[in-house]
Amino acid sequence: MVDSLQDLIQKAAHIIVKSKNLIALTGAGMSAESGIPTFRGENGLWSKYRPEELATPEAFFRNPRFVWEWYAWRIGLVINAKPNPAHKALAELEKMGFLKLTITQNVDNLHERAGTKRLVKLHGDILTARCVSCGYKLHMSEPPKEIPPKCPSCGDIMRPDVVWFGEPLPVKALEKAFEYARRADAIIVVGTSGVVYPAGIIPHVVKNSGGTVIEVNIAESGITEIADIFLKGAAGKVLPELVLEVKRISERT
């Protein structure tokens, strides 16, 4: 007999309540319910745009205005988006003391706006611009009026402070993510394809260290085959139900 989604949520909740070092890994599917397009899938951004034309250093230096116009559009989407119930659910798990760290591949600021404090951003921050010469960083509360924006410190052009194809991830962020993954006894993986590395390795590190992998996704992914519990459904519906069950169990114990 196959367990129902509710049965699986209860099992996952028991694991969370017993955990000592729970972490989460989130991908684009986490923010899709906030109206931010994912990158993969038939309606993903990469089905409409070529990555090498928009998200590589070579593309940027070839045509910085073209790249910035695309990022200005995305910045507008992020600023107008609101954290959805899935973001709020993870923030609540952290507030309850269960979730020790959220690791995200997303470049939006929805986790922070939902109340998450312990956060590692592996792929950077779309609301930050970084000077290509002196490294000066500027936080943006709206799309840049001047495209490409100029550095207020040295006058050179600035770029989005995100990780592009062919670029390494921020060393400190990566080190912290893997440090927590090695110690984790459970991980909640939400809305990620599991095919982008090195982020996709993180659930495997937890699994290989003896931890439990709980996946929340609308469809099977590159993580599903190692998941101990697969909660199929929209994160905005599944995660609040999971947190509610965690509350019920923790109140009884």
Side-chain angles (χ1 to χ4, degrees), residues 65-83:
R65 182 176 182 82
F66 178 62
V67 171
W68 260 113
E69 283 173 347
W70 189 65
Y71 274 92
W73 168 70
R74 289 183 60 204
I75 288 166
L77 289 180
V78 167
I79 288 169
N80 291 319
K82 290 180 173 58

Side-chain angles (χ1 to χ4, degrees), residues 15 30 60 80-81 89 102 108 113 125 129 147 154 171 201 223 226 233-234 239 247:
I15 290 165
M30 183 83 181
F60 178 75
N80 291 319
T102 297
D108 55 57
R113 285 164 58 189
D125 185 343
I147 295 181
C154 74
V171 174
I201 301 171
I223 302 301
I226 67 160
L239 281 177
K247 285 180 179 178

Side-chain angles (χ1 to χ4, degrees), residues 104-162:
T104 188
Q105 296 167 269
N106 299 336
V107 295
D108 55 57
N109 65 348
L110 296 181
H111 279 298
E112 298 100 309
R113 285 164 58 189
T116 293
K117 307 294 185 191
R118 298 178 173 183
L119 183 67
V120 167
K121 295 182 127 181
L122 290 180
H123 293 166
D125 185 343
I126 200 170
L127 295 181
T128 302
R130 185 178 85 238
C131 178
V132 299
S133 292
C134 72
Y136 180 90
K137 291 188 179 185
L138 179 70
H139 183 76
M140 297 173 285
S141 57
E142 61 181 3
K145 291 183 171 62
E146 182 185 20
I147 295 181
K150 297 291 193 303
C151 175
S153 179
C154 74
D156 207 343
I157 61 171
M158 304 188 84
R159 55 163 282 179
D161 192 26
V162 297

Side-chain angles (χ1 to χ4, degrees), residues 121-124 163 168-175:
K121 295 182 127 181
L122 290 180
H123 293 166
V163 177
L169 270 60
V171 174
K172 288 184 178 178
L174 198 59
E175 286 177 349

Side-chain angles (χ1 to χ4, degrees), residues 41 76 79 87 182 213 218:
I79 288 169
H87 293 103
R182 284 189 289 269
V213 178
I218 57 172

Side-chain angles (χ1 to χ4, degrees), residues 238-250:
V238 173
L239 281 177
E241 289 182 14
L242 178 60
V243 172
L244 195 60
E245 193 61 35
V246 167
K247 285 180 179 178
R248 287 186 187 132
I249 295 168
S250 56

